[in-house]
Amino acid sequence: MERERTRFRQRHPRSGQLAEEAKCSLLFGVPMNWMTRWPGDYPVYFDRAEGARFRDVDGNEFIDFCLGDTGGMAGHAPPAAVEAIARQARKGITLMLPTADAAWVGNELARRFGVPYWQFTLSATDANRCAIRWARAITQRPKIVVHNGCYHGTVDECVAMLENGRTVARAGNIGKPVPLDQTTRVVEINDLAGLEAALAHGDVAACLFEPALTNIGIVLPDSGYHEAVRALCSQYGTLLIIDETHTISAGPGGCTKAWGLAPDFVTIGKTLGAGIASGAYGITERIRDLVYEHTDASNIDVGGIGGTLAGNALSLAAMRATLGEVMTNVAFDRMIALGERFEQGVRGVIESRRLPWHAVRLGCRVEYLFRQNAARNGTEAAAGQDEMLDPYIHLYLLNRGILMTPFHNMALMSPATTDEDVDRHTQVFAEMADELIGA
Ligand SMILES: Cc1ncc(COP(=O)(O)O)c(C=O)c1O
């Protein structure tokens, strides 16, 4: 690790200088607190990104499998989106008035995810927050249920975890408004008995679930899990919110389409606008009727669901171009094939070196985790993290021109990623593994 840290400093003097200067004006020395979690002594400052690659301020070239933790999943600066964004920016960015793009995007999201009515936000966090508030208003119930090991953004109710079977604030939760067990019940994914016990109280407005966990390694659902979740929600009068922000990796309509899920709400953000702040939530016809019933039209602007810049013209133009011309069915076919190639490459290295690790894939998203078998729930996945290996592998790859997500070992394929990019990762991953085991 020491050798890699030295190598990092030698390769990134200009980034180091900029990081030093930023300490004078930025809290933690970075524009966002989590940027302190990059391995190395400071974050790499990028200069220019295009497709699946970027160059840093020291002139180093990288293959990007992090892709802005899904924000850049459409590839960096995809020409069709950039042209639409530039065109709209010249014509007007935000006026508190709609443009024709909004209904086009609503129709396209309805076609992809199968829920007909949509609203826009600027982030996935806010899409989740809005969905929760509507669910509470409609059901007149206070609580929500989430999976252990989930991440749905900085939503107060979701920064929770299971500890000895109890719902508590997640480690590091900053300034929580109330103890988490007042708002939330946390259950393990794939634990239907636990879910039923959580719902049987009759006070749960909504389950907010990713179809598969993606923020603690990937944890896939057991076969039949989602059908049972749907049935339990219907039985206990709880609404089902499916967060597709990361699981869009499964295909153009996420897992909702690929697995035939039947949520009441779908939420999504990050990649929708090729990186321009964009989020959305969609609802069924039944929920639309209930929303209308619970809307106080004269106070709609101060009801707790809003955002002055939400649904702005620039964001909608970016979404229209990204969905219409970049994140197409053809692009997903390519991306998923690349995901398979990445998974096979990593599996080959793990098996040939007999490492007690495994790789898991959801469409064009691949993770490796430091445990022998796939985790079945958040607790198992958490136990497969390794505080020393994780930063070491990230830094080793970074020092050889490969960027993975900073918080876990995730790789994402964009429409611009190539076979050669994937094979380069396999090669460096193999070199790292050989050095690690002294082969
Ligand atoms: C599944 C999921 N939902 C929502 C979010 C929140 O996204 P944002 O931070 O862009 O609001 C994240 C962020 O990682 C996520 O992984």
Side-chain angles (χ1 to χ4, degrees), residues 69 123-126 128 151-154 210 214-215 243 245-246 270:
D69 193 22
S123 67
T125 297
D126 232 28
N128 285 327
Y151 187 73
H152 295 286
T154 55
E210 280 192 286
T214 65
N215 283 291
D243 180 346
T245 303
H246 275 187
K270 294 204 186 187

Coordinates of all heavy atoms in Angstrom, one line a residue, residues 69 123-126 128 151-154 210 214-215 243 245-246 270, ligand 1:
D69 N -20.4 7.0 -10.7 CA -21.3 6.1 -9.9 C -22.7 6.1 -10.5 O -23.7 6.3 -9.8 CB -21.3 6.6 -8.4 CG -22.0 5.5 -7.5 OD1 -22.0 4.3 -7.9 OD2 -22.5 5.8 -6.4
S123 N -32.8 15.0 -8.5 CA -31.9 13.9 -8.0 C -32.8 12.7 -7.7 O -34.0 12.9 -7.5 CB -31.1 14.4 -6.8 OG -32.0 14.6 -5.7
A124 N -32.1 11.6 -7.6 CA -32.8 10.4 -7.2 C -33.2 10.5 -5.7 O -34.3 10.0 -5.3 CB -31.9 9.2 -7.4
T125 N -32.4 11.2 -4.9 CA -32.7 11.4 -3.5 C -34.1 12.1 -3.4 O -35.0 11.6 -2.7 CB -31.7 12.3 -2.8 OG1 -30.4 11.7 -2.8 CG2 -32.1 12.7 -1.4
D126 N -34.3 13.1 -4.2 CA -35.5 13.9 -4.2 C -36.7 13.1 -4.7 O -37.8 13.2 -4.3 CB -35.3 15.2 -4.9 CG -35.8 16.3 -4.0 OD1 -35.7 16.2 -2.7 OD2 -36.2 17.4 -4.5
N128 N -37.1 9.9 -4.4 CA -37.4 9.0 -3.3 C -38.2 9.8 -2.2 O -39.2 9.3 -1.6 CB -36.2 8.3 -2.7 CG -35.7 7.2 -3.6 OD1 -36.5 6.6 -4.3 ND2 -34.4 7.0 -3.7
Y151 N -29.0 1.9 0.1 CA -28.7 3.4 0.0 C -29.7 4.0 -1.0 O -29.8 3.5 -2.2 CB -27.3 3.6 -0.4 CG -27.0 5.1 -0.4 CD1 -26.8 5.8 0.9 CD2 -26.9 5.9 -1.5 CE1 -26.6 7.1 1.0 CE2 -26.6 7.3 -1.4 CZ -26.5 7.9 -0.2 OH -26.2 9.2 -0.1
H152 N -30.5 4.9 -0.6 CA -31.4 5.6 -1.5 C -31.2 7.1 -1.6 O -32.1 7.9 -1.9 CB -32.9 5.3 -1.0 CG -33.3 3.9 -1.1 ND1 -33.5 3.2 -2.3 CD2 -33.4 2.9 -0.1 CE1 -33.9 1.9 -2.1 NE2 -33.8 1.7 -0.8
G153 N -29.9 7.5 -1.2 CA -29.6 8.9 -1.2 C -29.7 9.4 0.2 O -29.8 8.7 1.2
T154 N -29.7 10.8 0.3 CA -29.7 11.4 1.7 C -31.1 11.6 2.2 O -31.5 12.6 2.6 CB -28.9 12.7 1.7 OG1 -29.6 13.5 0.7 CG2 -27.5 12.5 1.3
E210 N -34.7 -1.3 -3.6 CA -34.0 -1.5 -4.9 C -34.4 -3.0 -5.3 O -34.5 -3.8 -4.4 CB -32.5 -1.5 -4.8 CG -31.9 -0.1 -4.8 CD -30.4 -0.2 -5.0 OE1 -29.7 -0.6 -4.0 OE2 -29.9 0.0 -6.1
T214 N -27.5 -2.7 -4.5 CA -26.3 -2.4 -5.3 C -25.3 -1.5 -4.6 O -24.4 -1.1 -5.2 CB -26.8 -1.6 -6.6 OG1 -27.3 -0.3 -6.2 CG2 -27.8 -2.4 -7.5
N215 N -25.6 -1.2 -3.4 CA -24.7 -0.3 -2.7 C -23.9 -0.9 -1.6 O -23.3 -0.2 -0.8 CB -25.5 0.9 -2.2 CG -25.9 1.9 -3.2 OD1 -25.1 2.6 -3.8 ND2 -27.2 1.9 -3.6
D243 N -36.9 1.6 -6.5 CA -35.8 2.6 -6.9 C -34.9 2.0 -7.9 O -34.2 1.0 -7.7 CB -35.0 2.9 -5.6 CG -33.9 4.0 -5.8 OD1 -33.6 4.2 -7.0 OD2 -33.4 4.5 -4.9
T245 N -32.6 3.6 -9.7 CA -31.5 4.5 -10.0 C -30.2 3.7 -10.4 O -29.5 4.1 -11.4 CB -31.2 5.3 -8.8 OG1 -32.4 6.0 -8.5 CG2 -30.1 6.3 -9.0
H246 N -29.9 2.6 -9.8 CA -28.7 1.8 -10.1 C -29.1 0.6 -11.0 O -28.3 0.2 -11.8 CB -28.0 1.3 -8.9 CG -27.0 2.3 -8.3 ND1 -26.2 2.1 -7.3 CD2 -26.8 3.6 -8.7 CE1 -25.4 3.1 -7.0 NE2 -25.8 4.1 -7.8
K270 N -29.8 10.1 -11.5 CA -28.4 10.0 -12.0 C -28.2 10.0 -13.5 O -28.0 11.0 -14.1 CB -27.8 8.7 -11.4 CG -27.7 8.7 -9.9 CD -26.6 7.8 -9.4 CE -26.6 7.7 -7.9 NZ -25.5 6.9 -7.4
Ligands
LIG1 C1 -30.2 3.2 -5.5 C2 -30.0 4.7 -5.2 N1 -31.0 5.5 -5.1 C3 -30.8 6.9 -4.9 C4 -29.6 7.4 -4.8 C5 -29.4 8.9 -4.6 O1 -28.9 9.5 -5.8 P1 -28.4 11.0 -5.7 O2 -27.3 11.1 -4.7 O3 -28.0 11.3 -7.1 O4 -29.6 11.8 -5.3 C6 -28.5 6.5 -4.9 C7 -27.1 7.1 -4.9 O5 -26.1 6.4 -4.8 C8 -28.7 5.2 -5.2 O6 -27.6 4.3 -5.3

